[in-house]
Amino acid sequence: MKIAVLPGDGIGPEIVSQAVRVLESLTSDGMKFEMETALLGGCAVDATGNPFPEATRKLVAEADAILLGAVGGSQYDKLPRDQRPEQGLLSIRKDLNLFANLRPVVLYSELVNASTLKPEVISGLDILIIRELTGDIYFGEPRGIKLHDGQRLGFNTMIYREAEIYRIAHVAFQIARKRDRKLCSVDKMNVLECSQLWRDVVIEVAKEYPDVELSHMLVDNAAMQLVLNPKQFDVIVTGNMFGDILSDEASMLTGSIGMLPSASLDDKSKGLYEPIHGSAPDIAGKNIANPLATILSTAMMLRYTFNQEEAAVRIENSVKKVLAQNYRTSDICQPGMKEIGTTEMGDAILKNL
Ligand code: IPM
Ligand code: MG
């Protein structure tokens, strides 16, 4: 099992090294991982001037799976767009055709009081957000800032080809089938043609999955419903930008954005696995970042790319046990709990594996 490890920027290296320890500990079960590290994002810009250097491109192309920390930092905000850290991440997603982004939003019962929402609203929460990841306004052309009639004009293009909608819709229906058979497609069809096509195609695909209950929701309403009554959802499928926004919102239902893993898959289950949070430069290097989202991302890797369900469940159970033992990093710490650092959280997870 070949894994490309891309620690990235900010807290990336700290959280990724805990996740690597977790993977390495599984070798005693006969699993064999070949891990190689490469540069992506701001660290790559610093070293080579390119956020996605050729060596990294080669490594990720050859790997079965990629483990990523996070990229970005305000020191790069003034660089031309194609030289910014985020471009490295967007290029990997696009180059490797990682169009299906799975973001499970699961509340661990021990963290029911860590969220700003009332316990009765979130207890038992288990949603899966499926975000289309290689299309939409993120990649649409034309885009730019130009002079027009004597003033500057900024523009982007929200665009979906029907084939892109078909394939993400199929992924969503197939996954919904393995869960509660309830799929909610989120769009903005009351205003946008792009969303009209999205809805039309999803309705068409639904005919092949009569056993899945399909509903539609406008994105503004979905943002409201997620905090009003999040348990009404099972699987949500949506476009790239709406999914970006809604998944950050949904993470707060679980207590901390430091708890949410993700998988970005192509059509052959090659995957990029990363926490949904960013590089958090303000807490980098302090050994206080929460490594659980990255550790949970390795569980997703074992499940979706390597077909090792048992090992995936073991990692997830280990997270549950550690939380039940009241160990917390500062982002999820409550009075009466034992606050520990990033490395110590890694130690606790290994001990319970
Ligand atoms: C995410 C992030 C990225 C995105 C950024 C870092 C480019 O917010 O993975 O959700 O917008 O997709
Ligand atoms: Mg985001």
Side-chain angles (χ1 to χ4, degrees):
M1 306 180 203
K2 251 188 172 166
I3 304 174
V5 179
L6 312 176
D9 309 320
I11 58 171
E14 297 164 67
I15 53 178
V16 164
S17 54
Q18 299 315 312
V20 166
R21 288 174 73 198
V22 169
L23 285 171
E24 276 168 348
S25 77
L26 297 174
T27 52
S28 54
D29 297 357
M31 274 176 244
K32 198 163 170 289
F33 301 106
E34 221 178 273
M35 291 192 253
E36 206 173 313
T37 301
L39 298 172
L40 182 85
C43 58
V45 172
D46 294 340
T48 71
N50 179 354
F52 187 27
E54 206 40 54
T56 307
R57 198 179 287 269
K58 189 161 174 284
L59 186 71
V60 298
E62 285 164 3
D64 302 307
I66 301 144
L67 177 65
L68 172 67
V71 297
S74 55
Q75 68 269 43
Y76 308 105
D77 287 352
K78 292 241 150 33
L79 288 175
R81 195 158 287 279
D82 63 345
Q83 287 167 33
R84 291 189 205 163
E86 291 76 12
Q87 197 52 48
L89 181 55
L90 296 173
S91 303
I92 287 200
R93 291 173 177 173
K94 191 76 178 168
D95 273 27
L96 299 179
N97 203 18
L98 306 170
F99 66 92
N101 182 221
L102 314 187
R103 299 190 161 184
V105 183
V106 175
L107 174 74
Y108 287 89
S109 54
E110 292 78 11
L111 296 183
V112 72
N113 292 312
S115 170
T116 49
L117 275 88
K118 294 196 184 96
E120 62 268 30
V121 175
I122 51 173
S123 69
L125 185 80
D126 182 351
I127 306 179
L128 179 66
I129 297 180
I130 302 181
R131 168 187 175 196
E132 198 290 330
L133 203 60
T134 52
D136 201 356
I137 195 164
Y138 270 58
F139 297 94
E141 298 282 348
R143 61 190 296 159
I145 299 175
K146 67 177 182 191
L147 263 179
H148 184 77
D149 285 344
Q151 64 175 327
R152 283 174 303 165
L153 189 119
F155 55 100
N156 289 88
T157 304
M158 181 177 260
I159 179 169
Y160 266 117
R161 288 169 190 81
E162 61 177 352
E164 294 174 308
I165 309 171
Y166 279 115
R167 67 177 181 179
I168 193 72
H170 278 291
V171 169
F173 277 106
Q174 277 158 23
I175 290 179
R177 250 184 189 165
K178 294 191 195 142
R179 296 175 47 109
D180 289 344
R181 296 168 183 262
K182 261 174 59 185
L183 177 64
C184 179
S185 169
V186 172
D187 61 40
K188 187 68 185 172
M189 76 77 114
N190 55 344
V191 179
L192 305 172
E193 284 78 4
C194 184
S195 276
Q196 181 68 59
L197 180 68
W198 177 279
R199 190 173 290 207
D200 293 348
V201 171
V202 171
I203 289 173
E204 228 178 278
V205 174
K207 292 187 191 127
E208 294 177 46
Y209 303 88
D211 50 323
V212 176
E213 183 195 318
L214 172 67
S215 61
H216 304 275
M217 205 179 272
L218 298 174
V219 63
D220 48 350
N221 185 27
M224 182 180 76
Q225 296 294 334
L226 268 174
V227 285
L228 178 70
N229 177 19
K231 282 187 268 181
Q232 70 185 283
F233 298 107
D234 178 31
V235 181
I236 292 175
V237 64
T238 191
N240 203 345
M241 186 162 69
F242 298 156
D244 178 46
I245 298 168
L246 292 180
S247 58
D248 265 35
E249 184 194 11
S251 75
M252 278 300 128
L253 306 171
T254 72
S256 169
I257 197 167
M259 294 301 297
L260 256 62
S262 81
S264 307
L265 307 173
D266 72 1
D267 50 8
K268 297 181 214 68
S269 71
K270 175 165 179 160
L272 167 75
Y273 298 86
E274 57 173 326
I276 82 153
H277 61 70
S279 59
D282 52 321
I283 59 165
K286 297 185 178 156
N287 194 43
I288 59 174
N290 185 351
L292 292 179
T294 318
I295 289 171
L296 288 167
S297 298
T298 65
M300 292 189 86
M301 177 190 291
L302 290 162
R303 172 172 297 125
Y304 290 107
T305 294
F306 297 127
N307 234 332
Q308 299 281 346
E309 178 66 22
E310 212 183 284
V313 171
R314 267 180 61 205
I315 293 173
E316 288 160 351
N317 284 341
S318 178
V319 170
K320 279 185 204 143
K321 283 188 214 154
V322 168
L323 294 174
Q325 292 158 6
N326 294 337
Y327 291 116
R328 303 282 190 275
T329 43
S330 64
D331 57 318
I332 48 175
C333 201
Q334 303 280 168
M337 300 288 131
K338 299 172 228 169
E339 186 169 334
I340 57 174
T342 310
T343 316
E344 292 69 34
M345 185 55 95
D347 296 341
I349 295 292
L350 288 180
K351 214 158 136 198
N352 281 284
L353 253 185

